[in-house]
Amino acid sequence: MDKGLWMDAAVIPPSSHPIPTPRPLMRLSTLFLSLLALVLREAGPASLPEKERRRREEQNHCGKGDPYSELHVGSYMVSPDDYSEVIDLSSYEELADYGDQLAEVKVTSLAPPTRISPTQSKMTPRTPLSNPTMTKPTLPGPLGSPASHGLPTCLVCVCLGSSVYCDDIDLENIPPLPRMTTYLYARFNRISRIRTRDFEGLTKLKRIDLTSNFISSIDNDALRLLPALQDLILPENQLVALPLLPSGIEFLDVRLNRLRSSGIQPEAFRALEKLQFLYLADNRLDSIPWPLPLSLRSLHLQNNMIETMQTDAFCDPVEHRHTRRKLEDIRLDGNPINLSLFPSAYFCLPRLPIGRFT
C-alpha cells in the first residue's frame, strides 16, 4: 500500500465516519415502536401522562351537554370534523331518483292502481271520492220465476249463516232458498202467492217472516210439510184463508189481513199442540175459532166483526173443573160483542178477556 494514503486514513477521526446500521436491525426497531404504540393505545387514558389525562377529562366534562360533540366508536374518539377522514363521500355514486318508477302493487280491488309522481303527491291535493248512488239490484225478471232460477239467491239477498234476508228488494215470488236455510226474512216486497214448491225440501226452516207483502193465497200444502217450522209471521197482507199448518208451530201472526171465519178450516188449531201465540187481530172474523189448543197463552182477536160466542169457546161446559191457566191474554176489544152475555164461556180462565162488558 502507498504510504501516503495509509497516513491519510489513519488520521481521520472515527466519529466522522459512522458505521451504517444493518437493515434488519432497522426493521426490528420499527416493529418495536409500533407494538409500543399499540400497547399505549389499548391501555387507554390511564397510560397517558397525568397532565394530558386531566386535559381530556376536562374536555369530556365540558362536552356532556352536546351529545354530538364527540362520537365514541369503540375506543376511538371521532369528532364530526374528522368525518372526511373516516368516510370519503366523494367516492359514493350519486343517489338515484326513484320517483318515476312505479312500485310493485298487489291488486286487491277491481280499481286499477293510480300512478302518482312525487311532485303531484306533494303539491296536488287528492280529489275526494263522491258517495255512490245506492240503487236496488236489477233482476232479469221476477226472482223465483223459471227465468231467474239460475241467479243465486245470495247475490240478491243477504245470507248470514243459515239466515236469508231479502227485505225490500221488490221480490214478486219466494226466491230459491239454500237447503240449510233456517230463518227467512222477505219483508216489504211484492210477493202475491206462496206455492207448494217454494219451501220444498227445507227441513230446517224454523221461521218465515213475510210481513207487508201482497200475499192473497197460500197453497194448502206449502207449509204443512215443514217439520221444523215454529214461527209464521204474515201480517199486513191480503189473506182471506189459512192453509194447513204444521203441528210444531208455536207463533202465528196473521194480523191486518182480510181473513174471514170461513177461511179457517174447522178444528184447524186443535192439532197444534205447541201453539202459544195466536194473533188474528184486524181481520174480518165473525166468530172465535174453536177449539183452541191447551198450550195457548195469548189470543188476540181485537178489531174484527165478532158478535156472538159459543158457551164452550174457552171452557168445557161439561167438565167444570177444567182450568186454562196458561191462557191469560185474550183481547176482544174493538168487536161488537157484549162479553157480559156469555159468562159461562170464560169461567175457567185465570182472568177476564179484554173487551166490552156493557
Side-chain angles (χ1 to χ4, degrees):
M1 175 181 273
D2 187 76
K3 187 176 181 179
L5 292 175
W6 182 88
M7 290 295 293
D8 292 337
V11 298
I12 296 174
S15 61
S16 61
H17 293 277
I19 299 174
T21 305
R23 188 172 300 275
L25 184 59
M26 292 179 63
R27 292 179 178 176
L28 288 174
S29 62
T30 304
L31 179 60
F32 176 76
L33 293 175
S34 300
L35 291 174
L36 181 61
L38 180 60
V39 170
L40 292 175
R41 185 176 61 185
E42 293 296 333
S47 62
L48 295 176
E50 185 67 22
K51 185 177 180 179
E52 180 65 15
R53 185 168 64 251
R54 289 180 179 179
R55 185 180 66 82
R56 291 195 177 188
E57 288 177 358
E58 290 175 1
Q59 290 179 354
N60 291 339
H61 181 72
C62 296
K64 285 183 178 179
D66 185 7
Y68 300 102
S69 60
E70 291 181 345
L71 301 176
H72 298 268
V73 183
S75 61
Y76 295 95
M77 306 291 289
V78 183
S79 63
D81 297 335
D82 298 330
Y83 272 7
S84 60
E85 298 178 4
V86 180
I87 302 176
D88 185 11
L89 295 177
S90 62
S91 63
Y92 281 73
E93 296 180 358
E94 184 177 357
L95 296 177
D97 183 10
Y98 295 99
D100 294 333
Q101 298 184 13
L102 181 62
E104 182 180 355
V105 179
K106 182 179 180 181
V107 179
T108 58
S109 64
L110 298 179
T114 304
R115 185 177 183 274
I116 302 176
S117 64
T119 56
Q120 182 180 359
S121 62
K122 293 179 180 180
M123 301 179 60
T124 306
R126 293 183 179 180
T127 304
L129 297 175
S130 58
N131 294 328
T133 303
M134 299 301 294
T135 57
K136 296 180 180 179
T138 302
L139 306 179
L143 189 62
S145 64
S148 63
H149 270 201
L151 183 65
T153 298
C154 292
L155 291 182
V156 181
C157 305
V158 177
C159 298
L160 297 176
S162 60
S163 300
V164 180
Y165 298 87
C166 302
D167 293 341
D168 197 17
I169 55 173
D170 292 335
L171 291 179
E172 295 183 7
N173 293 289
I174 301 294
L177 300 171
R179 293 292 182 181
M180 300 303 292
T181 301
T182 304
Y183 303 97
L184 171 64
Y185 300 89
R187 300 165 292 193
F188 314 108
N189 285 289
R190 299 178 178 275
I191 301 172
S192 60
R193 181 183 176 187
I194 297 177
R195 299 171 175 82
T196 302
R197 68 171 184 268
D198 291 339
F199 300 115
E200 188 175 3
L202 300 180
T203 58
K204 297 184 179 297
L205 190 58
K206 292 183 178 180
R207 175 179 294 177
I208 299 174
D209 191 343
L210 299 173
T211 300
S212 191
N213 277 272
F214 296 92
I215 302 173
S216 59
S217 64
I218 302 176
D219 288 0
N220 212 28
D221 291 333
L223 305 173
R224 184 176 62 87
L225 302 178
L226 298 177
L229 188 63
Q230 297 177 354
D231 303 335
L232 180 59
I233 306 172
L234 299 169
E236 300 181 35
N237 279 281
Q238 300 176 8
L239 285 172
V240 295
L242 289 180
L244 294 176
L245 300 173
S247 59
I249 197 166
E250 299 177 5
F251 185 97
L252 178 59
D253 186 354
V254 202
R255 294 173 295 116
L256 294 164
N257 276 269
R258 301 175 181 178
L259 192 60
R260 298 180 180 273
S261 295
S262 59
I264 300 177
Q265 300 183 21
E267 302 188 359
F269 301 116
R270 178 189 288 274
L272 306 184
E273 298 179 354
K274 296 182 180 181
L275 183 62
Q276 300 183 43
F277 303 93
L278 179 57
Y279 297 146
L280 300 172
D282 296 282
N283 278 282
R284 300 177 181 178
L285 301 177
D286 56 13
S287 63
I288 296 175
W290 181 90
L292 297 171
L294 297 177
S295 58
L296 199 61
R297 297 173 54 188
S298 180
L299 174 63
H300 287 190
L301 292 167
Q302 65 267 33
N303 301 323
N304 277 281
M305 299 185 296
I306 300 174
E307 297 182 0
T308 186
M309 181 187 304
Q310 297 177 358
T311 56
D312 56 352
F314 304 114
C315 305
D316 186 351
V318 177
E319 187 61 53
H320 291 282
R321 292 176 297 177
H322 172 64
T323 304
R324 302 179 62 109
R325 297 189 181 277
K326 292 183 179 180
L327 188 54
E328 296 184 352
D329 178 25
I330 299 178
R331 292 194 57 179
L332 285 165
D333 49 309
N335 284 276
I337 188 174
N338 185 351
L339 296 179
S340 61
L341 300 178
F342 309 93
S344 61
Y346 39 82
F347 72 89
C348 62
L349 299 178
R351 59 186 62 184
L352 293 175
I354 297 175
R356 183 171 66 91
F357 284 89
T358 57

